[in-house]
Amino acid sequence: MNESNLNHKPENGTERNDTSLPSPGTGSRKIIDLTKAGTKLWRSKKVFLKVWSVVFVLSCIWILPQPRYYTCDVSLAPESTESALSGGGLSSIASSFGINLGAINNQDAIYPLLYPDLFESPEFIVSLMDIHVRTQDDKVDTDYYTYLRKHQKQNILTRPFNQAMRWLRNQFSKKKGKASGTPDKLDPFQMSEDDYMLFQEVMKNILCAHDKKTDVITITVKDQDPLICASMADSVMRRLQDFIIRYRTSKARLDVSYYQHLADSTKLEYDKSAEKYSKYCDSHKDIILQSSIQQRDEMEMDMSLKWNTYSAMLTQLQAMKAKVQERTPAFTTLKSSTVPIKPAGPKRMIFVLGMLIIATVITSLWLLRKDLFS
């Protein structure tokens, strides 16, 4: 290759360079002067004072009429049904990752992991409606259903709106039906719209949580009255225990009923056979005929067989009763219900402070809109 070809330059006299950088003047960034922005906001302090005053008054008007509510927590640990072979180090390691091996080896259809789902069952929620409640000031003494239906406090500002929405819902609702009125008439299979809304409210006020690592069940109840809050937490815990006990012992109780029926029937057959044998012996005292003696022996043998059958049924009955006690789970109450002293909400100061912060941010953006978007 010639040296002239290596030193060849383009005809326009410019040398090609692919690694050239753009000139500094081709692009620029817009920078907001924070000092200038702060000075502008400081000059508009009167605007902030007006906005804060209006927001503070409106926030107080909205949050002060809101009824206070209380919360109460109870914790219990149900008896573990997993065998000792399924536990050990592997179960401990799995529980640290939130995996419960006991639920895999558990023979029960309802184990602690499913207890929170039980609180969404219409049958279980309806069973809570007949619980007797009493307010702390002794002004209300009725069942839980009537208390929720007629004795709930409402915000006076939202009451007209709620009544209007309820009237519109009743006008345009396809399903017509009134509330049952009493907990005895509440049908979980087919509820009216008012009862269904009450059912949803109870599900929000009564919550159940399960800890996968420790199997601890925590029941949280929210209510407007502190005494009802604590009493409902304790009653719900008792109802849950009764439900689990009925489920765990249902098969054993059916066996007890079955063997009780067999024991009664065999006892009746034995009594008839013994009475027949006694009458025959009394009427054939001095008879020495071989046929009579053979018939007496057959009757005696039949009576003995019926007695043995009756004794076997009694033994099975006692074993089934012992099985009921064996299948009855034990619950350890870790945290009992206590009447709360301080309300859990609404947090009025936090709400007002949050509204003031939001108003400050919005006002600042509005005052600096030209500097931000121009």
Short mmCIF file of all heavy atoms in Angstrom, two decimals, residues 18 47-48 53 66 76 83 86 91 101 106 110 142 205 225 302-303 338:
data_model
loop_
_atom_site.label_atom_id
_atom_site.label_comp_id
_atom_site.label_asym_id
_atom_site.label_seq_id
_atom_site.Cartn_x
_atom_site.Cartn_y
_atom_site.Cartn_z
N ASP A 18 -14.76 9.59 14.96
CA ASP A 18 -15.99 9.01 15.50
C ASP A 18 -16.13 9.19 16.99
O ASP A 18 -17.20 9.01 17.54
CB ASP A 18 -16.02 7.50 15.19
CG ASP A 18 -16.12 7.26 13.69
OD1 ASP A 18 -16.58 8.19 13.02
OD2 ASP A 18 -15.73 6.16 13.24
N VAL A 47 -50.80 33.70 52.91
CA VAL A 47 -51.61 32.69 52.21
C VAL A 47 -51.62 31.38 52.99
O VAL A 47 -52.66 30.73 53.14
CB VAL A 47 -51.06 32.49 50.78
CG1 VAL A 47 -51.86 31.40 50.06
CG2 VAL A 47 -51.10 33.79 50.00
N PHE A 48 -50.46 31.01 53.51
CA PHE A 48 -50.38 29.78 54.30
C PHE A 48 -51.22 29.89 55.57
O PHE A 48 -51.89 28.92 55.97
CB PHE A 48 -48.93 29.48 54.67
CG PHE A 48 -48.13 28.88 53.55
CD1 PHE A 48 -47.29 29.65 52.78
CD2 PHE A 48 -48.25 27.53 53.25
CE1 PHE A 48 -46.55 29.10 51.75
CE2 PHE A 48 -47.52 26.97 52.22
CZ PHE A 48 -46.67 27.76 51.46
N SER A 53 -55.73 27.97 58.51
CA SER A 53 -56.92 28.25 59.34
C SER A 53 -58.14 27.52 58.79
O SER A 53 -58.90 26.89 59.54
CB SER A 53 -57.17 29.76 59.39
OG SER A 53 -56.06 30.44 59.94
N GLN A 66 -66.74 12.31 64.81
CA GLN A 66 -66.55 10.89 64.56
C GLN A 66 -66.57 10.12 65.88
O GLN A 66 -65.85 10.47 66.82
CB GLN A 66 -65.22 10.64 63.84
CG GLN A 66 -65.16 11.14 62.41
CD GLN A 66 -65.98 10.26 61.48
OE1 GLN A 66 -66.36 9.15 61.83
NE2 GLN A 66 -66.25 10.75 60.28
N LEU A 76 -54.85 -17.12 72.32
CA LEU A 76 -54.92 -18.47 72.86
C LEU A 76 -54.12 -19.40 71.98
O LEU A 76 -53.95 -19.17 70.78
CB LEU A 76 -56.36 -18.95 72.98
CG LEU A 76 -57.13 -19.24 71.69
CD1 LEU A 76 -58.23 -20.24 71.96
CD2 LEU A 76 -57.77 -17.96 71.14
N SER A 83 -48.25 -35.33 65.48
CA SER A 83 -47.58 -36.36 66.25
C SER A 83 -46.16 -35.95 66.55
O SER A 83 -45.59 -35.03 65.97
CB SER A 83 -47.59 -37.68 65.46
OG SER A 83 -46.91 -37.52 64.24
N SER A 86 -43.64 -36.18 63.64
CA SER A 86 -43.64 -35.16 62.59
C SER A 86 -42.99 -33.87 63.03
O SER A 86 -42.83 -32.96 62.24
CB SER A 86 -45.08 -34.87 62.15
OG SER A 86 -45.82 -34.32 63.23
N SER A 91 -39.51 -29.68 61.85
CA SER A 91 -40.67 -28.83 62.08
C SER A 91 -40.25 -27.44 62.55
O SER A 91 -40.84 -26.44 62.16
CB SER A 91 -41.60 -29.48 63.11
OG SER A 91 -42.70 -28.66 63.37
N LEU A 101 -45.63 -27.84 59.18
CA LEU A 101 -45.68 -29.25 58.82
C LEU A 101 -46.80 -29.97 59.55
O LEU A 101 -47.28 -31.01 59.09
CB LEU A 101 -44.35 -29.93 59.14
CG LEU A 101 -43.14 -29.44 58.33
CD1 LEU A 101 -41.91 -30.22 58.73
CD2 LEU A 101 -43.40 -29.59 56.83
N ASN A 106 -51.76 -33.32 59.81
CA ASN A 106 -52.94 -33.25 60.65
C ASN A 106 -54.10 -33.98 60.00
O ASN A 106 -54.37 -33.81 58.81
CB ASN A 106 -53.31 -31.78 60.88
CG ASN A 106 -54.24 -31.63 62.06
OD1 ASN A 106 -54.73 -32.59 62.61
ND2 ASN A 106 -54.46 -30.38 62.45
N ILE A 110 -60.20 -29.02 60.04
CA ILE A 110 -60.07 -27.65 60.52
C ILE A 110 -58.92 -27.61 61.51
O ILE A 110 -59.04 -28.08 62.64
CB ILE A 110 -61.38 -27.15 61.18
CG1 ILE A 110 -62.53 -27.22 60.18
CG2 ILE A 110 -61.21 -25.73 61.70
CD1 ILE A 110 -63.85 -26.76 60.75
N THR A 142 -78.84 -5.53 75.98
CA THR A 142 -79.57 -6.30 74.98
C THR A 142 -78.62 -7.29 74.31
O THR A 142 -77.49 -7.48 74.76
CB THR A 142 -80.20 -5.35 73.94
OG1 THR A 142 -80.92 -6.10 72.98
CG2 THR A 142 -79.13 -4.54 73.23
N ASN A 205 -65.37 -5.82 62.25
CA ASN A 205 -65.12 -5.51 63.66
C ASN A 205 -64.49 -6.67 64.42
O ASN A 205 -63.87 -6.45 65.46
CB ASN A 205 -66.43 -5.12 64.35
CG ASN A 205 -67.00 -3.81 63.82
OD1 ASN A 205 -66.27 -3.01 63.26
ND2 ASN A 205 -68.28 -3.61 63.99
N ASP A 225 -68.03 0.80 72.43
CA ASP A 225 -68.11 0.78 73.89
C ASP A 225 -67.00 -0.12 74.43
O ASP A 225 -66.81 -1.24 73.95
CB ASP A 225 -69.47 0.26 74.34
CG ASP A 225 -69.66 0.37 75.84
OD1 ASP A 225 -70.02 1.46 76.32
OD2 ASP A 225 -69.43 -0.64 76.54
N ASP A 302 -79.63 -68.54 76.52
CA ASP A 302 -80.00 -67.34 75.77
C ASP A 302 -79.90 -66.09 76.65
O ASP A 302 -79.42 -65.05 76.21
CB ASP A 302 -81.42 -67.50 75.22
CG ASP A 302 -81.85 -66.29 74.42
OD1 ASP A 302 -81.30 -66.08 73.32
OD2 ASP A 302 -82.73 -65.54 74.90
N MET A 303 -80.33 -66.23 77.90
CA MET A 303 -80.21 -65.10 78.83
C MET A 303 -78.74 -64.76 79.09
O MET A 303 -78.36 -63.58 79.17
CB MET A 303 -80.91 -65.45 80.13
CG MET A 303 -80.89 -64.34 81.17
SD MET A 303 -81.65 -64.82 82.74
CE MET A 303 -80.54 -66.13 83.27
N THR A 338 -59.45 -7.63 78.46
CA THR A 338 -59.39 -6.56 79.45
C THR A 338 -60.13 -5.34 78.90
O THR A 338 -59.97 -5.02 77.72
CB THR A 338 -57.94 -6.18 79.79
OG1 THR A 338 -57.23 -7.34 80.20
CG2 THR A 338 -57.89 -5.13 80.88
#
